Amino acid sequence: MPADEHATAPLTLRQRRRAVATQEILDAAERHITENGPAALSLRAIARDLGMTVQALYHYFPSREALVTELITKAYGDLADAVQAAVDTAPDDPALPRLVIAAEGYRRWAVAHPERFQLLYGTPLRDYAAPVDGPTTRAMRRMSAIFEREMFDGFTEAQLAAAETPALSPGLRAYLEQLPHYGLGHLPPPATALLMSAWGHLNGLVILEVFGHVAFLGDHQAEIFRIAMRNLLDDVRRQIPLSVDGGAGARTDVGVGAGTSCAERPGSPSDASAG
């Protein structure tokens, strides 16, 4: 069998031209969002900037919704790339948990690209609904996988199942049980509840900053964010038992005092997750 039998066939000239034109349209759309905000996105203005007719633009994106979907997908991808790069290039410092590093990568991208971040988490665009289980959902799952991994890596499923969360109603527990996960595999409902709560806190702080609601902090915003992320991670880990009795599934505390920090707790995943 020839070694290159299954190699991808080279793109035709027409395909290469289409790829170039598609990228030019996306670049022009991102410029419009940066200059005017997501709500002002106009196919007519984009076509005019590129010297195209709107009808010609429809050959590449059949509708405004299709273009918006591609823009959202690309924004999620770029944001996930920034978060992963932050984790991958961080210095080996056990005192700085990888979840905090990931969160700071997330914040930096959002602050550097506020209009594109608003496309993801700002006011929903009028008359736009993302395709169910479409490319925007798949792109968001990649982001979820990064934070799920960095938050819970080093804990066993039994520990996560025994997390001390407020009692979950049967309906909520059943709903959380069937949600898909993309980081460490199956997450027990208590861990999923912790993840959703932490994500809301993290993303809420970034939204406040991107929309200018904490400008009074000036140059101290990054430091305040780091403190908040450390506190968030400590709160999450305090709710997860250090060990679980495999037979009874009960929590066993191993002499950890109330004032012991996360970094000092035996069995803490702060070091284990650095791998």
Side-chain angles (χ1 to χ4, degrees), residues 142-237:
R142 180 182 167 215
M143 179 69 62
S144 174
I146 297 172
F147 282 101
E148 182 179 320
R149 182 181 66 243
E150 300 306 341
M151 181 171 291
F152 295 133
D153 189 23
F155 289 114
T156 66
E157 185 172 334
Q159 285 176 289
L160 297 178
E164 292 185 342
T165 60
L168 305 178
S169 69
L172 176 58
R173 179 175 288 274
Y175 180 78
L176 296 178
E177 186 69 53
Q178 57 83 40
L179 284 179
H181 297 283
Y182 307 94
L184 299 173
H186 174 71
L187 278 187
T192 303
L194 286 177
L195 179 64
M196 293 297 99
S197 177
W199 171 252
H201 187 176
L202 183 162
N203 202 41
L205 289 176
V206 174
I207 288 172
L208 285 175
E209 183 171 356
V210 169
F211 282 82
H213 297 301
V214 290
F216 64 91
L217 293 172
D219 295 337
H220 304 293
Q221 292 178 88
E223 183 176 356
I224 290 293
F225 184 79
R226 173 171 286 192
I227 292 171
M229 291 302 99
R230 284 184 174 278
N231 289 339
L232 180 152
L233 185 57
D234 282 348
D235 288 343
V236 167
R237 288 176 172 171

Side-chain angles (χ1 to χ4, degrees), residues 154-164 234 236-246 249-258 260-270:
F155 289 114
T156 66
E157 185 172 334
Q159 285 176 289
L160 297 178
E164 292 185 342
D234 282 348
V236 167
R237 288 176 172 171
R238 267 193 292 269
Q239 295 178 80
I240 302 174
L242 298 176
S243 62
V244 176
D245 182 340
R251 174 177 177 142
T252 57
D253 291 321
V254 236
V256 179
T260 304
S261 72
C262 179
E264 295 168 334
R265 292 174 56 174
S268 168
S270 56

